[in-house]
Amino acid sequence: MVIKPMIRSNICINAHPIGCAKETARQIEYVKQQKTKRGIRTAAEGGAGPKTVLVLGCSTGYGLASRISAAFEYGADTIGVSFEKEASERKYGTPGWYNNKEFDKEAAAQGLKTVTLNADAYSDETRQAVIAQVKEWGRKFDLVIYSLASPVRTDPDTKVLYKSVIKPIGREYGGAALDMMTGKITQASTGPAEGDEVANTVKVMGGEDWERWMKMLSEAGVLAEGCRTVAYSYIGPALSHPIYRDGTIGEAKKDLEKRAKDIDASLKSIGGSAYVSVNKGLVTRSSSVIPIIALYLGVLFKVMKKKGTHEGCIEQMERLFAERLFTGDSNGAGKVPVDEEGRIRIDDWELDPAVQAEVDSIMPTVTEENIASVADLDGLRHDFLAINGFDVPGVDYEADIADMTKID
C-alpha cells in the first residue's frame, strides 16, 4: 500500500510508519550532536545529570523530545507512558506508536534501559505498573516529566469520564482561520464555555493527575534524593489569550501552576522540586484547529527564522535540559532560573518584545494573496505533515508498505 496523507480540516487522520521513525531518528541525531557540542557527559562518562527518568505522555511533541534529550544526551534509562493505537499488518497505528517503537529500538542499540507502556496514564493501575517496573530495575526516578495532553480523563476514584474543551470564557472568540495545506483564510468563531465545561477541562488538563502521580511515586519510595518534576504549559501572545490563557485551557494551566507549588512543597523532604515550564507555540493537532493560532504561528515562524531563533520541539527540550534544568557541575542539577511566578520560561525567544512587535505589525496585513511571502506557509505545512510521518526527508513516499507494523 502506498500511504498518502489523509487530511480533513487541518487534521491528518493517518500516519506513515517509516516517516514517523525517521523523524524520531532525526531528533535523536540532533541531541547527540548537541551532546558533543556542549560537552555533556552521561553518568557512565562521569556526568551528574539524570539517570532514571519517567516521561508521562512520551510519544509525541514535547514529551517525546524530553525523553530523547534525557536518553541520548544524558544517557538516562527511561520509562515512558502513552496511550496509542497499535498498528497491524494492514492498518496504520497512531504516529506515537511508531515514534515509541523507533525510540525503543535506538535506545536499546545504545545500551540504555527502556520500557514503554502503552496504557492510560490517568489510571492507578498504570501508576502501579510503573512503580513495579522501576523497582524491578532497583532504581529510583531523579526526573519525572509530565506531558499529558488528552481530551478525556477518567477520575480513578469516581470512575467519571471528564472531557476537555478549547473555548473562551464569557464571550465568543473569533478570528482568521488558516488552512495550512491550501493557504485559504476564512473567518471562524468559537462560542463560550457552557455549564461544567470549565471545571471539566481543569479536571482533565489541570494538575490533579500530576499531583496524584507524584504522591503515589513518593509513597512507593521510588523518587530519588533531589528528584525534579516538570510539567508543560503555554501562555502565548495577547491576541490568543481569550481562547487560550484566559479560556478553558488557561484555567487548567493555572491549576497546573498552583499544584506545582504544592508538589514542590511535598518534595522538599527529599531535596526535590517541581516546576512548570512555559514553552514555545508549535504546530500540534490541537493548535491547528484553533481560530487565529495557525495564522499566528505562520507569521511567528517567519519572523523567528529570519532572526535565527526558531525552535521545534527537540530544540526547545534540549535547551530546557541543558540551559535550565541541568546547569550544575558535571551537568548536574544546578539552580533553575524562573520568573516571578516560579515558572521556567523557555518561551523567552517567542515572547521577545522585538519578535512580538514584528508579528503584530504583520498580522493585520496577511491575505490569501500574500501569505506565502509574509508567513512561513511551507514551514507550517512541513511541521503539520511531519507530525504524522509525511514530508520527512529520506522517505520514499511512492514505495509500497506491505506491513504497517514495520518502521524500516
Side-chain angles (χ1 to χ4, degrees):
M1 180 186 302
V2 174
I3 306 173
K4 300 294 184 181
M6 299 168 59
I7 299 168
R8 307 286 186 272
S9 302
N10 273 4
I11 297 174
C12 186
I13 60 176
N14 64 340
H16 196 287
I18 296 172
C20 289
K22 281 195 176 293
E23 175 60 16
T24 300
R26 180 195 68 80
Q27 295 185 50
I28 291 171
E29 183 59 30
Y30 173 79
V31 300
K32 286 181 176 179
Q33 292 172 0
Q34 288 297 101
K35 178 183 185 299
T36 301
K37 179 179 176 181
R38 294 184 187 272
I40 288 173
R41 291 177 295 163
T42 67
E45 297 165 337
K51 301 175 183 64
T52 309
V53 178
L54 172 62
V55 182
L56 303 167
C58 68
S59 60
T60 60
Y62 283 128
L64 175 64
S66 299
R67 195 180 188 193
I68 288 171
S69 296
F72 295 97
E73 194 160 10
Y74 292 85
D77 296 327
T78 63
I79 296 175
V81 181
S82 64
F83 197 31
E84 303 297 331
K85 184 181 78 174
E86 295 187 32
S88 65
E89 183 177 335
R90 301 304 299 165
K91 192 168 184 179
Y92 55 82
T94 50
W97 190 84
Y98 297 114
N99 297 342
N100 287 340
K101 192 169 183 178
E102 176 68 14
F103 175 91
D104 286 340
K105 183 187 79 171
E106 295 295 334
Q110 193 155 312
L112 299 171
K113 288 185 178 180
T114 174
V115 169
T116 303
L117 300 179
N118 190 14
D120 178 9
Y122 295 127
S123 76
D124 286 348
E125 291 77 13
T126 301
R127 283 181 257 270
Q128 294 296 347
V130 167
I131 290 166
Q133 181 60 63
V134 78
K135 284 185 173 181
E136 182 181 315
W137 284 357
R139 307 279 281 277
K140 295 184 178 183
F141 296 116
D142 45 28
L143 178 64
V144 177
I145 297 292
Y146 191 87
S147 186
L148 295 178
S150 170
V152 297
R153 171 180 173 239
T154 298
D155 185 294
D157 291 325
T158 66
K159 308 305 179 186
V160 174
L161 177 69
Y162 294 90
K163 297 181 180 180
S164 65
V165 296
I166 302 175
K167 289 186 177 183
I169 296 174
R171 57 176 175 159
E172 185 177 274
Y173 177 79
L178 171 66
D179 185 317
M180 291 179 290
M181 298 308 295
T182 67
K184 295 292 184 183
I185 299 174
T186 57
Q187 292 299 307
S189 62
T190 302
E194 301 176 345
D196 295 329
E197 287 183 326
V198 174
N200 291 349
T201 301
V202 172
K203 192 78 173 176
V204 177
M205 298 293 292
E208 181 178 276
D209 183 70
W210 180 28
E211 192 168 26
R212 191 180 185 100
W213 264 104
M214 298 310 298
K215 182 175 185 292
M216 289 186 67
L217 293 172
S218 177
E219 290 175 347
V222 295
L223 297 181
E225 192 75 21
C227 177
R228 288 177 167 177
T229 183
V230 184
Y232 297 142
S233 186
Y234 181 64
I235 291 178
L239 67 86
S240 72
H241 284 186
I243 189 69
Y244 202 93
R245 188 64 185 176
D246 297 331
T248 54
I249 294 293
E251 289 300 301
K253 295 304 183 182
K254 291 168 190 173
D255 180 76
L256 189 76
E257 292 166 17
K258 175 182 177 297
R259 289 178 187 266
K261 293 179 171 62
D262 297 334
I263 297 169
D264 186 78
S266 74
L267 293 174
K268 291 307 181 191
S269 63
I270 59 169
S273 50
Y275 302 95
V276 168
S277 175
V278 182
N279 303 335
K280 173 179 178 285
L282 295 170
V283 176
T284 66
R285 287 175 176 237
S286 58
S287 67
S288 302
V289 296
I290 305 172
I292 209 67
I293 298 299
L295 186 61
Y296 162 74
L297 291 176
V299 175
L300 176 72
F301 289 6
K302 183 86 170 183
V303 171
M304 293 188 74
K305 286 180 180 180
K306 183 175 67 175
K307 292 180 179 293
T309 58
H310 176 71
E311 295 172 308
C313 282
I314 194 62
E315 292 85 4
Q316 277 265 288
M317 293 301 96
E318 192 279 333
R319 185 159 69 96
L320 171 67
F321 275 58
E323 299 183 11
R324 299 294 191 271
L325 294 175
F326 301 103
T327 59
D329 294 340
S330 300
N331 318 122
K335 182 176 175 57
V336 178
V338 295
D339 67 8
E340 64 280 359
E341 298 295 330
R343 301 170 300 205
I344 298 172
R345 301 304 295 268
I346 206 75
D347 64 340
D348 49 346
W349 295 352
E350 174 185 357
L351 296 188
D352 176 352
V355 168
Q356 287 299 310
E358 190 168 350
V359 171
D360 287 345
S361 70
I362 295 171
M363 285 291 289
T365 72
V366 180
T367 65
E368 289 183 0
E369 288 69 35
N370 69 9
I371 188 169
S373 60
V374 301
D376 184 21
L377 190 57
D378 287 341
L380 282 181
R381 286 170 178 158
H382 168 75
D383 289 358
F384 172 70
L385 291 168
I387 290 171
N388 295 274
F390 298 102
D391 198 36
V392 175
V395 178
D396 180 1
Y397 289 103
E398 300 302 323
D400 179 68
I401 305 297
D403 185 346
M404 295 286 196
T405 68
K406 302 295 185 183
I407 56 173
D408 50 23

